[in-house]
Amino acid sequence: RRDASIIDSFWGSGFVLLAWIYWVLAGGTPERKLLLVILVTLWGLRLTGHIALRNWGEPEDYRYREMREKHGATFPVVSLFTVFLLQGGLMWLISVPLLQAQSARAPLNLLDVAGVIVFAVGLFFETIGDLQLVRFRADPDNRGRVLRTGLWRFTRHPNYFGDAAVWWGFFLIALATPGSAWTVFSPLLMTFFLLKVSGVVMLEKKLVESRPEYAEYVASTSAFVPWFPRKPRAAGSTE
């Protein structure tokens, strides 16, 4: 296919596969195991479906095209390690709270409830944010414009914020089991990647260059955590 973008569609479903493998092999509390595989399946299959539909019939993602141009004939081998195996390794590493939560035995408690609530908030932001962006892009009149309504009025990246919240929810469910605090590296790592590596920073660099009104959007809207829009500064103001 000469399209490394296919790996993106398997990010969510890869975690679903891992969650069900842990469900089969781990010997933790049955109720928590069932709760977790249901939540991961809802999140992962939705994400896979969204990315697969978004990328269907589209050219290779610009990130992979730049890598392909940089490495030339060696890209197939380079991408095996820097795209496919790297993503598989990260998936296994980030899934640690899912394994912990399904391996330890402890009654369901308030941390499980908190985890489900945080997960639900994250899934809401991620799902609705994606749907609003799909609808916005489907209108030819919006070409070159910036989406600033709905959830996008309160955060420039509701889908990325939602994704991070989902993983903090999984961590809270893991935290409900003994000796699990060490798995906090998972949501921290996911949040770091969404903010600094493959998410906000990379995308906004491209958007600032391609959409003239995006700089004003940056000045008025929270980058990640939802918050009320800031009023634009008056001309000449130093506040």
Side-chain angles (χ1 to χ4, degrees), residues 9 30 41 46 118 145 153 181 186 197 233:
S9 298
T41 300
R46 187 217 70 87
V118 173
R145 297 179 59 199
R153 180 172 180 264
S186 168
V197 181
R233 294 180 179 179

Side-chain angles (χ1 to χ4, degrees), residues 103-136:
S103 298
R105 285 193 168 272
L108 294 178
N109 55 55
L110 289 178
L111 281 172
D112 292 291
V113 176
V116 172
I117 292 173
V118 173
F119 167 86
V121 170
L123 188 63
F124 171 80
F125 269 85
E126 191 173 2
T127 303
I128 301 303
D130 282 339
L131 287 174
Q132 290 174 344
L133 185 59
V134 167
R135 181 179 297 179
F136 181 81

Side-chain angles (χ1 to χ4, degrees), residues 3 35 42-43 54 76 78 93 131 144 151 169 180 192 216 228:
D3 183 1
L35 170 66
L42 284 173
W43 168 78
R54 184 190 67 189
V78 171
L93 189 65
L131 287 174
L151 296 180
S180 56
F192 172 77
E216 195 277 326
F228 296 101

